[in-house]
Amino acid sequence: MTSQEIRQQFLDFFKSKEHLIVPSAPIVLKDDPTLMFSNSGMTQFKDYFLGYKEPKSHRIADTQKCLRVSGKHNDLDDVGRDTYHHTMFEMLGNWSFGNYFKKEAIDWAWELLTEVYKIPKENLYVTIFEGDEKENLERDNEAYNFWKTHIAEDRIINGNKKDNFWEMGESGPCGPCSEIHVDLRTAEEKAKISGLELVNNDHPQVVEIWNLVFMQYNRKADGSLENLPAKHIDTGMGFERLCMALQQKSSNYDTDVFTPLIAKVEELSGKKYTGILEDEKDIAIRVVVDHIRAVSFAIADGQLPSNGGAGYVIRRILRRAISYSYRFLGMKEPFLFELVAVLKNQMGAFFPEIVKQEKLVTEVIKEEENSFLKTIEHGLVRLDHIIKETISKNEKVLPGAEVFELYDTYGFPADLSRIIAEEKQLTVDEKGFDEEMEKQKQRSKKSSAQKVYDWEVVAELPENFVGYDKTEKEVKITRYRKVENKDGEFYQIVLNETPFYPEGGGQVGDKGTLENNEGTFEVLETKKENGLVISLIKDLPQNISGNFTAKVNISDRKNTQANHSVTHLLHEALREVLGTHVEQKGSYVGPDYLRFDFSHFSKMNEEELALVEEKVNAKIKENLPLQEYRDLPIAEATEKGAMMLFGEKYGDKVRMIQFGSSKELCGGTHVKSTGEIGHFKIIAESSTAAGIRRIEAISGDKATEYFKNLEHQLKEVSSLLKSKDLVKSIEKLLEENATLKSEVEALKKEKAKGEINDWKNAFVQKGDKQLLVKRTSLDAGSVKDLVFQLKKEIPNSVTIIISDAGEKPMITVGISADLEAKYHAGNIVKELAKEIQGGGGGNPGFATAGGKNLAGIENALNKAMEI
């Protein structure tokens, strides 16, 4: 049975049990402040469990892309070293939202595994929650009684809270769970030791394949448990492990989920995969084929590699794969990008995003590979310097702090530093390295640490966002909670009818005020969490249950929504000018400026930028009215031609914003007509990643300010030049400057000619060579010309010239061709550069170094004579 058939049978089975089959949500989470990635199948259904949204069906089944590489659920370090841990994996799941509970979940799981997939019953074991006295939780006898109708009682194992009590996080829905384990060992192995003893003991052939979570409690911030209003079912079955069981393999990597990728790596690297656990080459291949899946789907879902947040996690995974392939597969050139096509062929039928985004994913990975391979080469040079310094001191241990700096600042793999050190009979100061790592973790933890208390309910009222229609509203506080972070103590509040727009879709959250007879309370930010619009204030009003007036900062809102509306016009114009391959890949919309990232594979030229500006401003001048469609069925939005973005999660009902022919699904605030935008001006165009360009622009009040400043500068320039014809005046200045430059260059050459004879006569015999050590004020270009002339004309010569031109020290070293085998200009210049606090290098015959310390020139001259 192929992996595609296994996946399809799961979905067909639960469809027959009246489950709605839904697609996988994006692997990258954009509107959940508690998570970067979907790390379990239930992530996209959190709002249903918390009661913030009504599910489209009370029975749902799906296969969800998951990523576990950060936070509490982190499998990254295990990947490649065993047969069953992965960064990205698929979670097959069936869900009940207040519909069926334990009996049905257990019955259907057993039916699917034993009757449809036909796994031998004697190979299965199940676990149930044994209870916990501290939590006052009893043993899950209900699940036990349901299980014993299917499986022998001695195969039902009591599990502790760690293994058999599932929690979403430190707070939120939770409950006991029942795991199903499969024993894939041979008959001979089973005869030696019972599978009962190996369940939950990290045996590679006795593994958990399915977890049935009986969600019936809510964990509060203070740690206490309360019953949920309704009981839910949340199950997750590891697709890769299921394939291993059904295809009768001993490793996930031996299934057809991974074998096509492995075959391609073998072809590209020339290395044969043998499946040996401890073999570094095989570990590297497992790392590569696992990581390429995670990185490819993250990019396809809209998360580009970067230096922060979720982007940093993706970059780290990709760099881990590059590092392993560089070290153990001998791959010194980019090759991972060639695996994307294989992945598309394997998974494209179920996950169309990898088909649609194949070119972008391929180009981004290729560019990242090129960049990191250069980093490795640069790191090798730096590491070589650290090793030489260590050896010169007759020491055997590389400083941990310096190895950590290589890793942290330059991205150079610490494992590679250790391997190279061992080759030189050296070790790394692991204690020092670990101390630096811990300092970094503490810095990161301190900057992000936040204590969040439980919600205190003030009034049981509906909680709605009214900010599309109102910027000022009489409101009540429905709930509040205290939060503590590095900046102090604050309060998050929820209003019954809030006009404050919560940060989302690239648009910044509203600021403003909350007013009552006590005074004015500043709203510092507004965000959305689990469907709630949450505003942040510094102090809590004494009369918390009273009436308030909520006022949005009108100036910021006006400028922000002008920038948001213009991004829609910009998106359309870019597609018209550059082509329909252009898609939004990220944005920032604030009151001061807008940033728009989009897919395109070359730098935009001046003509293209001007045409885009022209098209956008033409739409502004048309004063196109806003056409807003709220609660529009998504099928109808598709029919109307609305732009939909990959990586975005859309519900059954959407909001469509239309300005003329521009139609986009969007939750942001907008102008009533494009004329309100005023004017649009592109400030910069740049690259953010391979295949991704960025436009930064302004509109509205900021565009007006921009042109006023420009006008002011022109007046100042005109005044300085004493002319109104600025072009003619500047052309004249350039001509005069060119003439003066020619005259200066001629004078330099004359001065250099005068110096050359003095320098020739200044050589002194030192051993087997003619040596010249000289200080000068000639510029770098002149010195270079003279040194090359002396290299040719003076045999057996070493020339060292130290210049102080322009108040910056510069050292130039030249070695005549007949001495290059004995002396190395690059090594000499590096040694001398230390005296001027600088650095440089070159080849055996010629080298230069610049520095910062003019006062060190005398020391450099003396050191040159000593050398």
Side-chain angles (χ1 to χ4, degrees):
M1 193 184 299
T2 68
S3 56
Q4 285 88 346
E5 291 169 337
I6 292 168
R7 188 191 285 114
Q8 192 62 57
Q9 280 198 352
F10 177 89
L11 299 174
D12 290 345
F13 175 82
F14 279 101
K15 188 175 182 181
S16 75
K17 304 296 184 186
E18 300 178 339
H19 286 64
L20 174 69
I21 308 302
V22 299
S24 170
I27 203 169
V28 182
L29 298 177
K30 296 183 179 177
D31 294 319
D32 188 334
T34 65
L35 288 172
M36 288 183 182
F37 307 102
S38 285
N39 63 6
S40 66
M42 65 79 63
T43 307
Q44 69 165 307
F45 305 120
K46 277 174 67 174
D47 286 352
Y48 301 158
F49 290 124
L50 292 164
Y52 297 131
K53 286 183 181 177
E54 185 68 21
K56 59 187 79 173
S57 169
H58 290 283
R59 294 184 181 187
I60 284 176
D62 71 345
T63 178
Q64 172 66 47
K65 299 171 298 184
C66 300
L67 198 64
R68 289 189 179 175
V69 287
S70 60
K72 176 184 172 185
H73 300 291
N74 188 350
D75 294 338
L76 185 60
D77 293 335
D78 295 319
V79 173
R81 301 202 169 273
D82 62 24
T83 62
Y84 54 89
H85 277 103
H86 302 290
T87 47
M88 188 204 118
F89 58 94
E90 281 184 65
M91 190 68 85
L92 303 169
N94 58 290
W95 319 87
S96 166
F97 306 107
N99 189 265
Y100 61 83
F101 201 46
K102 294 181 185 179
K103 183 181 188 306
E104 293 86 349
I106 289 170
D107 288 348
W108 290 337
W110 189 255
E111 180 185 348
L112 178 61
L113 293 177
T114 62
E115 295 179 26
V116 177
Y117 289 139
K118 300 194 182 303
I119 296 177
K121 296 177 182 179
E122 61 270 19
N123 288 349
L124 297 173
Y125 297 88
V126 299
T127 64
I128 63 162
F129 180 47
E130 67 184 5
D132 187 286
E133 285 186 17
K134 291 180 182 176
E135 297 264 21
N136 198 28
L137 292 169
E138 296 181 353
R139 180 175 183 259
D140 193 354
N141 290 319
E142 187 179 12
Y144 178 84
N145 290 328
F146 289 133
W147 273 122
K148 72 180 184 180
T149 65
H150 298 294
I151 191 171
E153 293 180 46
D154 61 357
R155 287 175 172 266
I156 306 172
I157 306 164
N158 284 337
N160 59 26
K161 185 182 170 189
K162 175 179 174 289
D163 291 325
N164 282 90
F165 194 88
W166 194 92
E167 306 202 41
M168 183 190 296
E170 291 185 5
S171 61
C174 56
C177 61
S178 187
E179 299 170 343
I180 305 172
H181 296 252
V182 62
D183 188 347
L184 303 174
R185 296 173 301 150
T186 63
E188 292 77 16
E189 290 172 314
K190 291 174 183 174
K192 291 177 185 176
I193 183 170
S194 168
L196 278 170
E197 298 178 40
L198 301 176
V199 168
N200 277 331
N201 279 310
D202 294 326
H203 192 286
Q205 268 80 57
V206 183
V207 293
E208 173 199 340
I209 55 170
W210 207 345
N211 190 12
L212 315 179
V213 179
F214 312 127
M215 210 171 282
Q216 59 194 88
Y217 301 111
N218 180 48
R219 174 79 68 187
K220 298 178 73 175
D222 64 6
S224 63
L225 292 172
E226 62 182 9
N227 288 317
L228 287 171
K231 296 177 179 179
H232 311 294
I233 288 294
D234 158 13
T235 86
M237 177 153 55
F239 173 66
E240 293 80 8
R241 294 185 184 185
L242 178 63
C243 289
M244 177 175 69
L246 297 181
Q247 293 179 5
Q248 299 181 345
K249 304 295 184 182
S250 58
S251 163
N252 288 357
Y253 294 95
D254 294 335
T255 68
D256 70 339
V257 176
F258 291 99
T259 50
L261 290 166
I262 290 173
K264 188 65 175 178
V265 174
E266 288 178 322
E267 175 195 325
L268 294 170
S269 69
K271 300 287 193 295
K272 188 71 179 170
Y273 180 70
T274 60
I276 298 171
L277 270 184
E278 296 79 13
D279 187 289
E280 294 287 5
K281 162 183 60 64
D282 287 357
I283 291 172
I285 291 175
R286 287 192 290 271
V287 165
V288 165
V289 298
D290 171 273
H291 288 12
I292 196 66
R293 287 164 28 107
V295 170
S296 296
F297 276 105
I299 295 171
D301 280 344
Q303 181 55 66
L304 299 171
S306 67
N307 289 328
Y312 173 72
V313 175
I314 299 306
R315 177 166 279 167
R316 182 178 167 221
I317 297 170
L318 182 52
R319 287 184 168 186
R320 188 171 188 260
I322 299 167
S323 172
Y324 268 85
S325 59
Y326 181 95
R327 289 150 54 195
F328 304 116
L329 302 180
M331 301 302 287
K332 304 294 193 279
E333 297 293 330
F335 83 103
L336 294 174
F337 70 94
E338 296 191 53
L339 301 177
V340 177
V342 180
L343 189 62
K344 178 200 73 171
N345 293 336
Q346 276 184 275
M347 302 183 72
F350 285 88
F351 303 99
E353 58 271 29
I354 197 67
V355 178
K356 179 79 184 293
Q357 302 293 330
E358 180 188 8
K359 184 179 180 184
L360 173 69
V361 173
T362 302
E363 291 295 326
V364 169
I365 291 175
K366 185 178 182 181
E367 182 63 27
E368 284 288 316
E369 285 189 89
N370 273 315
S371 174
F372 189 52
L373 287 168
K374 287 176 186 172
T375 295
I376 289 177
E377 295 300 333
H378 293 154
L380 288 171
V381 173
R382 173 86 178 121
L383 181 62
D384 183 59
H385 175 73
I386 295 170
I387 287 171
K388 284 179 177 174
E389 289 251 316
T390 303
I391 292 172
S392 70
K393 297 174 185 173
N394 292 318
E395 294 175 357
K396 293 287 186 182
V397 182
L398 299 186
E402 292 193 43
V403 174
F404 178 79
E405 183 188 24
L406 260 181
Y407 160 77
D408 188 47
T409 306
Y410 302 101
F412 191 77
D415 285 348
L416 189 52
S417 293
R418 293 183 182 101
I419 289 167
I420 293 170
E422 287 170 10
E423 289 171 356
K424 305 283 187 183
Q425 285 75 54
L426 301 171
T427 60
V428 172
D429 170 20
E430 297 293 349
K431 185 179 178 185
F433 182 90
D434 291 342
E435 284 173 356
E436 294 300 319
M437 179 69 84
E438 186 58 31
K439 286 178 190 174
Q440 185 217 48
K441 286 180 180 177
Q442 290 304 319
R443 285 193 297 270
S444 175
K445 190 175 181 180
K446 190 174 180 181
S447 67
S448 61
Q450 178 166 278
K451 184 177 181 181
V452 180
Y453 291 77
D454 281 320
W455 286 110
E456 299 289 338
V457 176
V458 179
E460 296 282 357
L461 294 170
E463 296 158 331
N464 300 309
F465 171 67
V466 297
Y468 294 138
D469 307 306
K470 305 280 186 181
T471 53
E472 182 174 327
K473 191 77 175 71
E474 294 301 310
V475 299
K476 281 184 170 289
I477 295 173
T478 59
R479 64 179 87 186
Y480 71 90
R481 68 183 178 190
K482 186 164 71 171
V483 292
E484 296 170 357
N485 57 35
K486 63 183 178 62
D487 297 319
E489 186 176 284
F490 299 88
Y491 291 89
Q492 293 179 336
I493 59 170
V494 178
L495 306 176
N496 64 325
E497 292 186 295
T498 182
F500 300 112
Y501 177 81
E503 178 185 322
Q507 181 174 330
V508 299
D510 280 333
K511 297 179 181 180
T513 58
L514 199 65
E515 299 173 5
N516 71 353
N517 53 15
E518 288 179 40
T520 299
F521 302 87
E522 185 180 1
V523 173
L524 304 169
E525 65 178 27
T526 304
K527 296 192 175 185
K528 197 169 189 177
E529 180 184 320
N530 295 326
L532 293 175
V533 177
I534 300 170
S535 293
L536 188 73
I537 58 177
K538 177 63 179 169
D539 299 306
L540 198 65
Q542 288 184 349
N543 182 16
I544 195 72
S545 59
N547 294 321
F548 296 85
T549 301
K551 294 181 180 179
V552 173
N553 182 315
I554 294 295
S555 174
D556 281 356
R557 168 73 84 87
K558 175 175 169 285
N559 288 318
T560 298
Q561 63 190 21
N563 280 333
H564 201 154
S565 296
V566 89
T567 62
H568 289 211
L569 305 181
L570 171 61
H571 195 183
E572 183 181 40
L574 286 167
R575 288 170 66 85
E576 289 174 359
V577 172
L578 303 177
T580 55
H581 65 279
V582 167
E583 281 189 2
Q584 180 179 334
K585 293 299 174 186
S587 68
Y588 167 84
V589 180
D592 296 328
Y593 75 104
L594 67 94
R595 186 176 68 231
F596 189 81
D597 296 343
F598 58 98
S599 51
H600 186 56
F601 295 96
S602 61
K603 179 179 172 61
M604 290 180 68
N605 59 40
E606 291 299 323
E607 292 78 12
E608 290 168 336
L609 288 168
L611 186 53
V612 166
E613 257 189 25
E614 184 183 317
K615 284 180 173 289
V616 172
N617 281 311
K619 291 287 177 74
I620 292 172
K621 285 177 185 175
E622 283 184 54
N623 198 25
L624 299 167
L626 167 67
Q627 292 176 266
E628 180 191 18
Y629 301 85
R630 297 184 193 177
D631 295 323
L632 186 69
I634 193 159
E636 195 174 330
T638 305
E639 284 176 21
K640 287 180 180 290
M643 173 67 73
M644 297 185 191
L645 306 177
F646 267 98
E648 293 293 336
K649 180 184 172 186
Y650 298 114
D652 293 333
K653 296 286 184 73
V654 294
R655 179 171 179 257
M656 189 178 87
I657 296 298
Q658 180 173 355
F659 291 107
S661 54
S662 168
K663 303 171 187 176
E664 295 200 17
L665 303 187
C666 180
T669 62
H670 290 273
V671 296
K672 298 302 179 188
S673 61
T674 58
E676 292 179 28
I677 297 169
H679 194 84
F680 170 74
K681 177 64 186 170
I682 295 174
I683 300 301
E685 191 269 357
S686 60
S687 171
T688 63
I692 305 294
R693 306 300 300 178
R694 169 173 290 175
I695 279 179
E696 293 175 69
I698 52 176
S699 72
D701 293 345
K702 293 298 175 181
T704 303
E705 284 178 29
Y706 173 84
F707 287 112
K708 280 184 178 177
N709 289 336
L710 206 58
E711 185 180 21
H712 178 68
Q713 288 174 30
L714 285 172
K715 284 179 180 176
E716 285 192 332
V717 172
S718 178
S719 174
L720 287 168
L721 294 174
K722 296 181 173 58
S723 169
K724 297 209 174 189
D725 190 343
L726 297 183
V727 174
K728 192 171 181 180
S729 297
I730 291 170
E731 283 175 348
K732 185 180 176 183
L733 274 178
L734 290 172
E735 286 173 11
E736 291 173 358
N737 189 49
T739 302
L740 290 170
K741 267 189 174 180
S742 297
E743 291 174 2
V744 169
E745 288 300 319
L747 288 170
K748 282 182 181 177
K749 286 180 181 177
E750 285 300 314
K751 185 178 180 183
K753 281 181 185 175
E755 294 260 9
I756 190 71
N757 289 327
D758 291 342
W759 288 15
K760 285 179 181 177
N761 294 328
F763 275 92
V764 294
Q765 189 71 35
K766 285 278 186 179
D768 61 349
K769 63 191 168 294
Q770 295 269 23
L771 175 65
L772 172 65
V773 176
K774 189 83 175 172
R775 178 172 183 166
T776 183
S777 294
L778 287 175
D779 65 282
S782 299
V783 171
K784 180 181 177 181
D785 291 341
L786 292 180
V787 169
F788 269 99
Q789 187 176 339
L790 293 171
K791 269 165 51 79
K792 289 178 183 177
E793 294 183 14
I794 310 295
N796 299 313
S797 65
V798 174
T799 305
I800 300 174
I801 307 298
I802 303 180
S803 169
D804 57 16
E807 299 295 310
K808 287 186 179 179
M810 170 72 88
I811 301 172
T812 305
V813 178
I815 310 288
S816 60
D818 45 20
L819 286 182
E820 284 183 13
K822 187 168 184 181
Y823 300 103
H824 193 292
N827 292 340
I828 294 171
V829 88
K830 282 180 185 176
E831 191 62 31
L832 296 178
K834 294 176 184 176
E835 302 300 327
I836 59 170
Q837 295 176 13
N843 56 43
F846 181 81
T848 60
K852 298 182 279 190
N853 181 23
L854 272 173
I857 285 181
E858 286 303 319
N859 289 340
L861 290 166
N862 294 332
K863 194 170 188 178
M865 295 298 295
E866 289 171 17
I867 292 173

